[in-house]
């Protein structure tokens, strides 16, 4: 028991030995091997949890000596530590797995895009001679159009002169007919 100026507290909790802490952790963690990831990790993680719990017990004793207040570190606290560890680990694995999935999808899409780019480059290389020939044909067609336009303009001018001459002749005919 610990006596305080504010009352009396009965300490019913006895610290568990390290072997018991490790054993309990191994049993609980062993039941969640899928969360842990590998049976080889159970003992090291159990030792880590035992170490955390033992350090909290030590800090609790130091707190009692310095502050005169007791912070209880119970077997339930240890079980809560294990539960929190498993919950956090499972949550983080989900996040990491989601990131891995997104990265794998991104890599797959990059590879597919790279392959399509290579195919398009190959197609462009194959089409270059046709594109060059099409450019030559287009240039020839433009030159022919210029010549045709010149001929058409000359023909239009000639037709325009002939039309003016015919109009003048028609006018003379109309004048003679009127006379």
């Amino acid at each position: 028991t610990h006596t305080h100026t504010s009352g009396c507290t009965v300490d019913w909790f006895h610290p568990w030995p390290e072997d018991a802490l490790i054993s309990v952790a191994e049993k609980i963690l062993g039941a969640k091997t899928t969360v842990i990831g590998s049976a080889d990790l159970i003992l090291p993680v159990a030792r880590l949890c035992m170490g955390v719990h033992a350090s909290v017990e030590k800090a609790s004793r130091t707190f009692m000596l310095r502050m005169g207040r007791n912070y209880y570190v119970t077997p339930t606290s240890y079980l809560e530590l294990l539960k929190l560890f498993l919950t956090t680990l499972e949550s983080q694995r989900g996040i990491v797995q989601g990131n891995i999935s997104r990265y794998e999808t991104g890599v797959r899409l990059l590879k597919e895009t790279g392959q399509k780019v290579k195919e398009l480059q190959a197609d462009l290389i194959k089409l270059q001679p046709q594109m060059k020939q099409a450019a030559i044909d287009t240039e020839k067609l433009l030159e022919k159009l210029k010549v045709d336009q010149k001929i058409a303009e000359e023909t239009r001018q000639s037709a325009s002169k002939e039309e003016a001459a015919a109009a003048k002749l028609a006018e003379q005919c109309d004048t003679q007919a009127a006379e």
Side-chain angles (χ1 to χ4, degrees):
T1 58
H2 304 288
T3 306
H4 300 279
T5 55
S6 63
C8 180
T9 305
V10 177
D11 186 356
W12 293 94
F13 303 106
H14 299 287
W16 285 1
E18 289 182 358
D19 291 349
L21 291 171
I22 290 174
S23 177
V24 167
E26 281 183 306
K27 183 151 180 90
I28 290 173
L29 297 172
K32 296 284 191 171
T33 306
T34 55
V35 176
I36 298 296
S38 168
D40 296 342
L41 295 174
I42 292 174
L43 183 58
V45 171
R47 287 186 177 142
L48 173 73
C49 290
M50 179 274 305
V52 168
H53 186 75
S55 70
V56 171
E57 283 180 331
K58 183 179 175 184
S60 174
R61 287 190 296 274
T62 304
F63 185 69
M64 177 63 182
L65 292 172
R66 288 185 184 166
M67 305 302 285
R69 296 182 66 197
N70 200 0
Y71 176 78
Y72 295 101
V73 182
T74 65
T76 303
S77 302
Y78 186 62
L79 296 175
E80 286 298 319
L81 168 68
L82 293 171
K83 181 180 173 186
L84 177 63
F85 173 79
L86 288 170
T87 303
T88 304
L89 180 63
E90 193 168 21
S91 170
Q92 289 301 311
R93 281 191 189 246
I95 291 168
V96 168
Q97 198 57 44
N99 288 340
I100 288 171
S101 177
R102 280 199 310 275
Y103 292 141
E104 286 174 345
T105 300
V107 167
R108 181 179 49 80
L109 289 173
L110 285 172
K111 284 181 180 177
E112 288 173 5
T113 303
Q115 183 61 36
K116 286 181 182 177
V117 166
K118 285 180 183 176
E119 290 170 8
L120 289 173
Q121 284 175 335
D123 290 346
L124 281 174
I125 290 170
K126 288 178 189 175
L127 290 174
Q128 276 182 342
Q130 293 174 4
M131 290 176 6
K132 283 180 183 175
Q133 185 60 46
I136 292 168
D137 292 347
T138 302
E139 189 63 37
K140 286 180 183 176
L141 182 62
L142 287 174
E143 288 176 19
K144 185 177 184 303
L145 281 174
K146 285 180 186 176
V147 170
D148 288 349
Q149 280 180 337
K150 187 176 181 183
I151 292 170
E153 182 61 29
E154 289 171 358
T155 304
R156 188 187 65 78
Q157 286 176 359
S158 174
S160 189
K161 286 178 186 175
E162 287 178 12
E163 183 183 350
K168 189 175 183 181
L169 185 61
E171 188 180 309
Q172 287 174 355
C173 285
D174 284 345
T175 306
Q176 283 181 357
E179 289 176 358

